[in-house]
Amino acid sequence: MMTIYRLMAPCHFGLESVLKREITDLGYNIVSVEDGRVTFEADVQGICRANVFLRTAERILIEAGRFKAETYDQLFEGIKAIEWNSYIPADGRFWVTKASSIKSKLFSPSDIQRIVKKAMVEGMKRDYGIAWFKEDGADYPVRVFMFKDEAIVGIDTTGDSLHKRGYRKLSSKAPISETLAAALIMLTPWNKDRILVDPFCGSGTFPIEAAMMAAGIAPGMNRSFTAEKWINIINKKRWYDAIDEANDIINMNIQTDIQGYDIDGDMVNIAVQNAKVAGVEKLIHFQRRDVQALSSSKKYGFIITNPPYGERLAEKEDLPELYRTIGERYKELADWSAYIITSYEDTEKYMGIKASRNRKIYNGMIKAYYYQFMGKKPQRLKRDNIEE
């Protein structure tokens, strides 16, 4: 009988609903949705598929334990009680790669890491009946989250964060992460039949993520994962099956109108290179162009973009004029929608238009807003009333 694991998928705060929908669409049952994390149940194939297919998760962790811990003694005993031999072989290399604490009595990450590693060793001694571990086998990195005095222990199957798709060899100075870009696109009604323009494309993340969605390219199919070496849990064939499934879904024989502009020609060249690595350069038109030149005769298009928001004082002086220009160009487009992520709080004021919706999102440690200006929906063709 196949083991069912409880898996945790961290994500950007405020975008849990997008990740929940992705996991449900993959066919897995949601256990809980918490701030910045969705927990679900899946078998070993699900571990592989989640890593390969999920666009908005940061990583996939096996939940090894969850218990109350208000003291370091409770933390130690709780960690020690976990059946570590179910996850980590006797030669496994294990360490606590990260500890975080929110609203908990135990708040020192370094102390939590030290206690957890010590308790893991004691638990492994009990499970394997040996006193010393060489740790020269596969990696089993552990992450511990303390939340309201509850310890949540996860073993990281992913390794490098899932935003590292492998295509962004070069980037701009303030790039939006691939997982965040994908989630923001998925919050819109855009589909591959509609025009999409990013007038501040930088290294091309929004257009590339959109093109990958349009062509059905799974975000994790061209990278490796820590759990690929966990032969005690996952047969290598499971990973091949997930990649075969991903390959079967790709369809490059599609027509798209995805455009990326930037005023910086060097950035446009970088975006083109990144799109080539991602295998979607044929689906995107990149061009050096100022936002002042933004225009289109097409209707019902989408602007999805991350414009400058002036983290430096000198840049802040330019923002009113920049956002006024964005507003003017947007109003000239027929029935378009605009989705803008920025930390600039006067966006609506200078664009001269009220957003239909505004969503608070954290882009790294920067509090940002996702302004959503909804255009008209395309009219569906009415079917003739044909009598049966």
Side-chain angles (χ1 to χ4, degrees), residues 116-131:
V116 170
K117 170 74 183 194
K118 203 171 164 185
M120 285 179 72
V121 170
E122 290 306 310
M124 297 268 286
K125 281 181 184 176
R126 173 203 63 221
D127 293 345
Y128 286 109
I130 54 178

Side-chain angles (χ1 to χ4, degrees), residues 8 11 16 32-39 66 147 150 152:
M8 299 184 289
C11 64
E16 298 84 2
S32 65
V33 179
E34 297 156 292
D35 283 347
R37 183 168 58 246
V38 180
T39 302
R66 190 184 276 246
F147 182 66
E150 184 179 48
I152 305 156

Side-chain angles (χ1 to χ4, degrees), residues 165-214:
R165 320 280 207 222
Y167 68 74
R168 197 159 76 182
K169 303 299 181 189
L170 299 160
S171 68
S172 53
K173 66 176 185 288
I176 194 161
S177 85
E178 294 86 333
T179 44
L180 178 54
L184 295 176
I185 295 167
M186 290 163 85
L187 277 173
T188 79
W190 176 80
N191 65 61
K192 65 179 183 292
D193 301 323
R194 308 271 287 275
I195 179 173
L196 185 156
V197 175
D198 179 358
F200 302 94
C201 73
S203 51
T205 311
F206 273 127
I208 292 169
E209 288 294 319
M212 287 174 73
M213 287 179 202

